[in-house]
Amino acid sequence: MKLAYSLANPIDLAIKEIGYTEGKANANKYSKALGRPAESWCADFVVWCIQQSGHAGDILNSPSVIQICKWAQKSGLVIDPKDARPNDVVAFDFSGKKKNPVHIGLVEKGLDKNSLTTIEGNTSSGNDPKKSQSNGDVVARRERGLPYVYLVFRPKY
């Protein structure tokens, strides 16, 4: 795969993508680049950022947040969310029950005032509860509280 960018850090690439908006019916460049149909694309965004930054083997290439989380757990990559740092991957359960991961992003900044700063694909750009946090239409910087963190893992890059 030819790299679109020559960045060593996935988060640097993710930051450059802030503001990207999907097309009609979830059409997006991340799923397309991975050879997938238009779909809910938060996982595709994370996988794409990691692959495009030269670390293709460091994450499961899957559109499923659940499968990526299972892979990270099986691979022994899960860390304490309080130890999160830039380029770590974070999955969320917005019910706060930590039972069902529904969304995923990249950590931009570790713990500060009980929250993480992330860059996420397929989210909404604000905190409006009427807009989907896990299936929006944009790449955005978000502040996420620890109660919603399902897990954090550190790929081996």
Side-chain angles (χ1 to χ4, degrees), residues 81-82 84 109-117 143-146:
K82 293 178 181 176
K109 183 178 175 189
L111 190 64
D112 182 36
K113 297 181 183 175
N114 215 24
S115 67
L116 301 172
T117 302
E143 297 291 325
R144 300 290 191 190
L146 285 184

Side-chain angles (χ1 to χ4, degrees), residues 25 57 72 93:
D93 175 356

Side-chain angles (χ1 to χ4, degrees), residues 50-114:
I50 291 172
Q51 287 187 355
Q52 290 296 301
S53 63
H55 304 284
D58 292 325
I59 190 167
L60 179 68
N61 185 354
S62 173
S64 168
V65 175
I66 292 170
Q67 291 304 314
I68 291 172
C69 289
K70 287 180 180 179
W71 169 83
Q73 290 167 322
K74 184 177 177 182
S75 301
L77 301 174
V78 176
I79 63 168
D80 187 316
K82 293 178 181 176
D83 295 329
R85 63 183 188 209
N87 295 301
D88 289 343
V89 178
V90 57
F92 301 99
D93 175 356
F94 295 121
S95 74
K97 296 178 182 176
K98 300 187 185 214
K99 291 185 178 184
N100 185 32
V102 296
H103 188 63
I104 197 164
L106 288 166
V107 174
E108 180 182 24
K109 183 178 175 189
L111 190 64
D112 182 36
K113 297 181 183 175
N114 215 24

Side-chain angles (χ1 to χ4, degrees), residues 103-152:
H103 188 63
I104 197 164
L106 288 166
V107 174
E108 180 182 24
K109 183 178 175 189
L111 190 64
D112 182 36
K113 297 181 183 175
N114 215 24
S115 67
L116 301 172
T117 302
T118 60
I119 307 297
E120 304 167 18
N122 201 31
T123 189
S124 61
S125 58
N127 291 321
D128 183 344
K130 294 178 183 175
K131 293 186 177 181
S132 177
Q133 301 303 300
S134 61
N135 188 15
D137 60 359
V138 67
V139 174
R141 176 176 284 120
R142 304 305 313 266
E143 297 291 325
R144 300 290 191 190
L146 285 184
Y148 301 109
V149 173
Y150 176 80
L151 65 72
V152 175

